[in-house]
Amino acid sequence: MIDKGVIETAYCFFHQKQRVYQYSTMDWQKDDIEYAIEDYVSTMNGELYELLSGGRPDFLRNHTTFAADIVSALEMLDSMMEG
């Protein structure tokens, strides 16, 4: 079982970064956000990352799929907080 605080912390961090990423028009800013998220997931709770990623090792670590991945992560985290 994953501690609710771990889930809430991940949600808050991802939510903040996703909102800036979504509306940013600066490539360097988006790259910085992707780097920050990649750094975060490399040290986050492994069980939580495994659930979010569905076993994909490049989840939230691939430039091509990052925008969809972070939205997916937020949806899952939101669902986990409700349940």
Side-chain angles (χ1 to χ4, degrees), residues 41-52:
V41 299
S42 70
T43 60
M44 76 182 289
N45 178 287
E47 185 180 352
L48 179 57
Y49 181 75
E50 186 65 29
L51 282 172
L52 296 176

Side-chain angles (χ1 to χ4, degrees), residues 24-70:
S24 178
T25 58
M26 298 173 278
D27 288 338
W28 65 265
Q29 186 176 40
K30 288 184 172 191
D31 289 343
D32 284 354
I33 291 168
E34 288 180 30
Y35 177 77
I37 295 290
E38 182 176 358
D39 187 55
Y40 180 82
V41 299
S42 70
T43 60
M44 76 182 289
N45 178 287
E47 185 180 352
L48 179 57
Y49 181 75
E50 186 65 29
L51 282 172
L52 296 176
S53 71
R56 276 185 42 218
D58 67 338
F59 186 75
L60 292 169
R61 296 177 169 149
N62 182 318
H63 175 75
T64 306
T65 60
F66 180 82
D69 287 351
I70 197 163

Side-chain angles (χ1 to χ4, degrees), residues 4-31:
K4 186 174 181 173
V6 171
I7 295 167
E8 291 172 347
T9 299
Y11 179 85
C12 289
F13 186 71
F14 290 172
H15 185 266
Q16 176 198 36
K17 298 300 183 199
Q18 191 273 337
R19 291 294 182 230
V20 174
Y21 188 91
Q22 178 182 12
Y23 295 107
S24 178
T25 58
M26 298 173 278
D27 288 338
W28 65 265
Q29 186 176 40
K30 288 184 172 191
D31 289 343

